[in-house]
Amino acid sequence: MPRAASRRRGNVALALAGGGPLGAVYEIGALNALAESIEGLDLNGMDQYVGVSAGAFITAGLANGITPAQLCRMFIAGHSARMPLDPERFLMPAYREFMRRSWKATTLAARGTMAFVRGGGTRGWMESFQRLTRALPTGLFDNDTIAAYLRKVFEAHGGTDDFRQLKARLFLVATNLDTGEAAAFGDEGLDHVPISQAIQASAALPGLFPPVEIDGGWFVDGALKKTLHASVVLREGAGLVLCVNPLVPFNAARAMGLGREDTKHLVDGGLPTVLGQTLRTMIHSRMEVGMARYELEYPDADIVLFEPDHGDGDMFFTNLFSYASRQRLCEHAYQQTRAALLARRDELEPKLARHGMRLRLDVLRDESRRLAPAMSTLKRRRSGALGRAVLDLNDTLDRLKSQLGQHADVDAAPVPASARRRAPGSAKPAARR
């Protein structure tokens, strides 16, 4: 792990947990709310980022200069002029894994038959053919296509697939399958691994995606070890860590209290619902332990967590393969985060002020604000060349707005994180070598 670092108020970090496609949708909505509601916060100019699984996708995009609004159009509406995303990209069968395992099946079956015959009936079928389990695929879907897509995304947006070329520190966490230990790609000694491959490993949920081979080791989903991994940036001296965790256990009783009468018993939803609730409960309880430990081990750091309400049925019952559902859920996360910022004003304002930031109360109190304009290019896609030109213009304006926001009202407004990072005495080189 990296060396211990002195904690600085200008050292601002973002930590995003996993959660599959659902988690990515929630995080994008929440980040759009944070970006417009906290003055002095530059989500493309953080000092450090750490992401796990779905959070690895988002943090890598932000570190590469892709704005929250652009992420919204790419991953939610699926309408980016440069790299539109089709959800089916993540559901391509792992043909190579199937072929590789099928070749083993014949040999293993022959050996099992020989073992059964030589045992003279003393060995049962189950014992003799147990080795056939080695022929079972380790994942259903191909994650090589994901890595290839991400490389194109970074290139299309003028970014990089090299940790060492980023202005900020980026850590993408995966789990070493053979040791059970966490690996923070982007850390010293692990920063030679391509960012796209690190994301592929961090999001390799066992059973769905095959483990990823890196430098002779095999890696799977980083959430197997921890939920958030905020300690990675805290050890590097982060003074403020904004955390987003999209998965929480569903509280049916609370949901009924909020007016949702169809959620009295989750068992009615069958096996997928039961397994989903079980996974969420285990992940969240582990995260609560981690958050409590962070507060004890790093008492001088400000750690702020955003997550859904436990009675939020929209976060539990959503068809993510519908464009309309994804947009609705992203809007929901956006509005819920705005409401949380306003409700937690007394708690948040002192913490943000210590790092030169403040809540934009005028924005938070504006009930007419919607995330929908960030995705409004959906209908324009049908306009052919004109539609693509509009999308390109939107992306350019997003970048210009982000850059101007870092320099506007310098005397009146708190200094953005990116500007503080480049102040005399704390300047960083353009790229880490």
Side-chain angles (χ1 to χ4, degrees):
M1 278 297 176
R3 65 192 182 286
S6 60
R7 209 159 308 286
R8 293 186 293 110
R9 289 188 177 180
N11 194 325
V12 182
L14 178 69
L16 300 183
L22 177 73
V25 170
Y26 180 87
E27 288 172 346
I28 291 172
L31 291 173
N32 273 274
L34 295 177
E36 71 171 22
S37 304
I38 301 178
E39 189 170 354
L41 174 65
D42 176 13
L43 288 174
N44 293 113
M46 308 291 276
D47 294 275
Q48 301 182 73
Y49 301 85
V50 58
V52 184
S53 192
F57 283 82
I58 309 303
T59 52
L62 293 171
N64 262 300
I66 304 175
T67 67
Q70 288 172 326
L71 288 170
C72 193
R73 286 197 290 272
M74 290 169 59
F75 293 102
I76 308 304
H79 293 80
S80 166
R82 295 183 178 93
M83 293 299 299
L85 175 67
D86 187 332
E88 292 184 2
R89 186 184 299 271
F90 296 92
L91 300 177
M92 297 292 292
Y95 293 117
R96 283 193 295 179
E97 172 69 5
F98 297 160
M99 290 295 295
R100 189 167 69 91
R101 296 287 169 172
S102 64
W103 281 108
K104 292 183 177 182
T106 302
T107 301
L108 293 172
R111 290 178 180 176
T113 302
M114 291 295 295
F116 180 76
V117 172
R118 288 175 179 175
T122 59
R123 286 188 176 186
W125 280 95
M126 290 293 293
E127 183 180 0
S128 299
F129 289 93
Q130 183 180 5
R131 68 189 70 197
L132 275 175
T133 58
R134 301 178 189 174
L136 294 175
T138 57
L140 299 176
F141 305 114
D142 184 7
N143 46 11
D144 286 334
T145 59
I146 298 174
Y149 170 78
L150 290 170
R151 287 192 293 271
K152 293 179 181 178
V153 168
F154 299 148
E155 179 181 353
H157 286 82
T160 178
D161 199 27
D162 190 334
F163 285 100
R164 297 163 294 188
Q165 296 300 317
L166 294 172
K167 295 180 180 179
R169 299 298 302 276
L170 171 65
F171 303 97
L172 305 177
V173 185
T175 304
N176 187 311
L177 184 63
D178 294 317
T179 66
E181 295 299 319
F185 293 104
D187 196 359
E188 296 177 5
L190 292 174
D191 55 0
H192 65 285
V193 177
I195 294 174
S196 56
Q197 190 177 33
I199 296 173
Q200 179 185 2
S202 182
L205 182 64
L208 290 183
F209 298 105
V212 178
E213 184 179 11
I214 299 177
D215 293 344
W218 294 90
F219 295 87
V220 294
D221 197 321
L224 268 65
K225 185 70 176 180
K226 292 181 182 178
T227 301
L228 199 58
H229 289 279
S231 58
V232 174
V233 292
L234 287 167
R235 278 194 287 266
E236 287 289 334
L240 171 65
V241 185
L242 300 178
C243 309
V244 182
N245 170 52
L247 295 188
V248 298
F250 183 65
N251 188 323
R254 177 168 174 75
M256 291 184 66
L258 295 175
R260 179 149 186 164
E261 299 296 334
D262 60 338
T263 56
K264 184 176 182 180
H265 299 296
L266 291 182
V267 69
D268 296 334
L271 180 62
T273 301
V274 172
L275 290 179
Q277 177 73 336
T278 301
L279 180 64
R280 288 164 178 260
T281 302
M282 291 190 299
I283 288 177
H284 196 263
S285 62
R286 187 174 58 184
M287 192 205 67
E288 288 179 321
V289 172
M291 292 296 290
R293 188 171 65 250
Y294 297 154
E295 293 180 1
L296 289 175
E297 295 181 359
Y298 307 98
D300 53 340
D302 292 310
I303 306 169
V304 181
L305 173 66
F306 297 95
E307 59 182 13
D309 187 284
H310 288 242
D312 190 343
D314 284 334
M315 279 297 295
F316 199 79
F317 304 99
T318 296
N319 175 16
L320 291 176
F321 297 100
S322 161
Y323 280 129
S325 294
R326 292 206 308 278
Q327 292 184 46
R328 177 179 55 78
L329 181 59
C330 194
E331 178 74 35
H332 176 73
Y334 167 80
Q335 296 295 350
Q336 187 186 73
T337 304
R338 281 168 41 82
L341 285 166
L342 194 57
R344 297 169 60 184
R345 174 185 175 184
D346 292 343
E347 167 207 346
L348 295 176
E349 285 190 321
K351 293 182 178 180
L352 294 174
R354 284 194 285 271
H355 304 275
M357 304 179 194
R358 69 179 181 88
L359 292 177
R360 297 183 60 190
L361 297 179
D362 58 327
V363 171
L364 291 173
R365 288 169 175 161
D366 183 358
E367 297 181 359
S368 67
R369 297 186 76 92
R370 298 289 183 272
L371 180 59
M375 297 182 285
S376 62
T377 55
L378 177 63
K379 295 181 180 178
R380 296 176 184 168
R381 185 185 189 190
R382 301 175 183 175
S383 302
L386 176 60
R388 289 191 294 273
V390 171
L391 289 172
D392 275 327
L393 178 60
N394 275 332
D395 284 352
T396 302
L397 290 175
D398 283 340
R399 288 176 173 274
L400 180 61
K401 181 179 178 182
S402 176
Q403 291 298 320
L404 290 176
Q406 297 177 30
H407 304 292
D409 300 326
V410 173
D411 294 331
V415 182
S418 57
R420 289 195 303 274
R421 232 180 24 251
R422 299 180 180 91
S426 62
K428 286 187 178 181
R432 293 187 297 109
R433 301 289 183 182

